[in-house]
Short mmCIF file of all heavy atoms in Angstrom, two decimals:
data_model
loop_
_atom_site.label_atom_id
_atom_site.label_comp_id
_atom_site.label_asym_id
_atom_site.label_seq_id
_atom_site.Cartn_x
_atom_site.Cartn_y
_atom_site.Cartn_z
N LEU A 48 4.32 9.97 11.88
CA LEU A 48 4.83 9.71 10.45
C LEU A 48 5.23 11.06 9.87
O LEU A 48 6.17 11.00 9.20
CB LEU A 48 3.68 9.06 9.65
CG LEU A 48 4.09 8.66 8.22
CD1 LEU A 48 5.15 7.66 8.20
CD2 LEU A 48 2.78 8.25 7.57
N PHE A 49 4.43 12.13 10.09
CA PHE A 49 4.79 13.43 9.50
C PHE A 49 6.04 13.88 10.01
O PHE A 49 6.86 14.36 9.36
CB PHE A 49 3.60 14.29 9.76
CG PHE A 49 3.79 15.64 9.03
CD1 PHE A 49 3.66 15.83 7.71
CD2 PHE A 49 4.07 16.87 9.80
CE1 PHE A 49 3.90 17.02 6.96
CE2 PHE A 49 4.16 18.01 9.18
CZ PHE A 49 4.06 18.12 7.84
N GLY A 50 6.26 13.79 11.24
CA GLY A 50 7.46 14.30 11.95
C GLY A 50 8.72 13.43 11.53
O GLY A 50 9.79 14.01 11.23
N ASN A 51 8.54 12.14 11.26
CA ASN A 51 9.62 11.34 10.75
C ASN A 51 9.89 11.76 9.34
O ASN A 51 11.07 11.68 8.82
CB ASN A 51 9.23 9.82 10.74
CG ASN A 51 9.29 9.24 12.09
OD1 ASN A 51 9.90 9.86 13.03
ND2 ASN A 51 8.59 8.10 12.34
N MET A 52 8.86 12.05 8.49
CA MET A 52 9.14 12.44 7.16
C MET A 52 10.00 13.80 7.09
O MET A 52 11.01 13.88 6.22
CB MET A 52 7.86 12.63 6.38
CG MET A 52 7.19 11.30 6.00
SD MET A 52 5.50 11.44 5.40
CE MET A 52 5.64 12.86 4.24
N ILE A 53 9.66 14.66 7.93
CA ILE A 53 10.39 16.04 8.04
C ILE A 53 11.79 15.88 8.45
O ILE A 53 12.79 16.30 7.82
CB ILE A 53 9.66 17.02 8.88
CG1 ILE A 53 8.37 17.45 8.15
CG2 ILE A 53 10.53 18.20 9.08
CD1 ILE A 53 7.42 18.28 9.06
N SER A 54 11.95 14.99 9.46
CA SER A 54 13.33 14.73 10.01
C SER A 54 14.25 13.99 9.02
O SER A 54 15.39 14.22 8.86
CB SER A 54 13.29 14.06 11.38
OG SER A 54 12.78 12.82 11.21
N ASN A 55 13.59 12.92 8.37
CA ASN A 55 14.35 12.26 7.16
C ASN A 55 14.76 13.09 6.19
O ASN A 55 15.84 13.09 5.62
CB ASN A 55 13.58 11.08 6.75
CG ASN A 55 13.40 10.04 7.78
OD1 ASN A 55 14.15 9.90 8.78
ND2 ASN A 55 12.37 9.08 7.53
N TRP A 56 13.83 14.06 5.69
CA TRP A 56 14.18 14.99 4.59
C TRP A 56 15.26 15.87 5.07
O TRP A 56 16.15 16.23 4.25
CB TRP A 56 12.92 15.77 4.23
CG TRP A 56 13.20 16.86 3.28
CD1 TRP A 56 13.21 16.78 1.90
CD2 TRP A 56 13.43 18.30 3.58
NE1 TRP A 56 13.67 17.94 1.35
CE2 TRP A 56 13.73 18.86 2.36
CE3 TRP A 56 13.43 18.98 4.70
CZ2 TRP A 56 13.95 20.23 2.31
CZ3 TRP A 56 13.72 20.24 4.57
CH2 TRP A 56 13.98 20.90 3.47
N ALA A 57 15.17 16.48 6.26
CA ALA A 57 16.13 17.37 6.75
C ALA A 57 17.53 16.68 6.85
O ALA A 57 18.54 17.18 6.47
CB ALA A 57 15.77 17.98 8.07
N SER A 58 17.48 15.45 7.28
CA SER A 58 18.69 14.79 7.48
C SER A 58 19.37 14.48 6.17
O SER A 58 20.58 14.63 5.96
CB SER A 58 18.40 13.42 8.25
OG SER A 58 19.62 12.62 8.31
#
Side-chain angles (χ1 to χ4, degrees):
L48 182 64
F49 185 68
N51 286 341
M52 287 172 44
I53 291 175
S54 65
N55 289 345
W56 173 81
S58 175

